[in-house]
Amino acid sequence: MAKLFYGTDVSPVTFPDRLLAYVKVITATKLRRNESFTLTWTGDPETAGRSAIWMHPSIPLRFAFDSVEPEKLVGEYLRTLADQANASSGLVVDLRTWEDDENGVARTTAPQIAARRPVRAVRAA
């Protein structure tokens, strides 16, 4: 499990490595543009309900991954999450179902993309 250290909190938030890789790419893109947003997650077995944090360029962040190699990310799912982060509700992920969501986006967009260009995965930095 990957860890997100937020602000001065010493207790990290844990996410699956690939999911945190998506969050990292979106966060880096938005904060580089000086755009703040909320990150909300549900399905954490240690926390009932939902949790949310305000992502802002002035708040220190550290992403720690178990995997040495960068994760391969699905471009269409990354775009879906980025669009969500741009909405007023912010980026919302469910730790229980995000892989199904990722697979669903990849499956529904693959035929459309195949007609234009080959499907390719992107690597998180």
Side-chain angles (χ1 to χ4, degrees):
M1 293 294 271
K3 296 170 185 67
L4 169 62
F5 293 87
Y6 178 78
T8 58
D9 194 351
V10 294
S11 299
V13 179
T14 58
F15 290 95
D17 271 29
R18 196 167 71 252
L19 177 57
L20 191 59
Y22 282 112
V23 171
K24 177 184 159 268
V25 169
I26 292 164
T27 301
T29 301
K30 290 196 62 73
L31 297 184
R32 184 177 57 241
R33 295 176 184 156
N34 211 24
E35 298 172 359
S36 303
F37 67 102
T38 57
L39 168 61
T40 303
W41 63 95
T42 59
D44 184 348
E46 296 177 17
T47 307
R50 67 181 184 277
S51 298
I53 54 178
W54 179 245
M55 304 295 262
H56 187 274
S58 68
I59 300 171
L61 296 170
R62 183 167 64 96
F63 300 87
F65 297 91
D66 284 342
S67 172
V68 175
E69 294 296 318
E71 296 289 330
K72 290 185 180 181
L73 305 179
V74 176
E76 291 300 316
Y77 186 59
L78 181 60
R79 280 185 277 285
T80 299
L81 293 176
D83 289 345
Q84 194 181 84
N86 288 328
S88 60
S89 60
L91 178 57
V92 180
V93 293
D94 187 329
L95 301 177
R96 298 164 297 202
T97 62
W98 73 272
E99 286 179 298
D100 293 337
D101 297 340
E102 177 191 47
N103 290 332
V105 167
R107 260 192 316 270
T108 59
T109 58
Q112 298 165 1
I113 294 170
R116 293 181 294 174
R117 64 181 189 275
V119 175
R120 50 172 227 253
V122 296
R123 282 187 170 252

